[in-house]
Amino acid sequence: MLGAQRFAGRGGEGPDEPVPAVFAGLSITVRTAAGLLGLGLQTVTALIDSGELVCEGGGVDRRYLTLSSVLAYRRSLRLNAVGRD
């Protein structure tokens, strides 16, 4: 699985295309990220702990992720799924 850490702050149609400026600096909760990714809270927490998703601010009980890293991770999942077809 490709890590979003490589693509943190990036997105677009491929990993080399920038995320639209409107997403820069936006943060979302772990619960929101889980919903966007279609994953459980524990899975998203494990992705944060492993460095796959970029977490900013907060502590253990309140974590916020960069929207750019979540979108990039979702894109990497889709690219991997297309590559397997």
Side-chain angles (χ1 to χ4, degrees):
M1 182 174 355
L2 289 176
Q5 193 172 37
R6 246 181 71 192
F7 306 123
R10 302 177 69 81
E13 285 302 312
D16 294 330
E17 297 195 25
V19 170
V22 70
F23 297 129
L26 295 179
S27 298
I28 59 175
T29 63
V30 173
R31 185 174 303 279
T32 302
L36 286 172
L37 296 172
L39 301 172
L41 294 173
Q42 290 179 334
T43 303
V44 173
T45 300
L47 290 169
I48 294 168
D49 292 341
S50 71
E52 294 286 317
L53 292 173
V54 178
C55 184
E56 60 181 22
V60 173
D61 32 331
R62 288 216 186 250
R63 291 183 175 186
Y64 295 92
L65 294 92
T66 62
L67 180 56
S68 297
S69 74
V70 173
L71 295 176
Y73 186 80
R74 186 171 73 172
R75 171 138 303 121
S76 72
L77 292 176
R78 289 181 178 172
L79 290 174
N80 283 338
V82 168
R84 287 182 286 188
D85 290 342

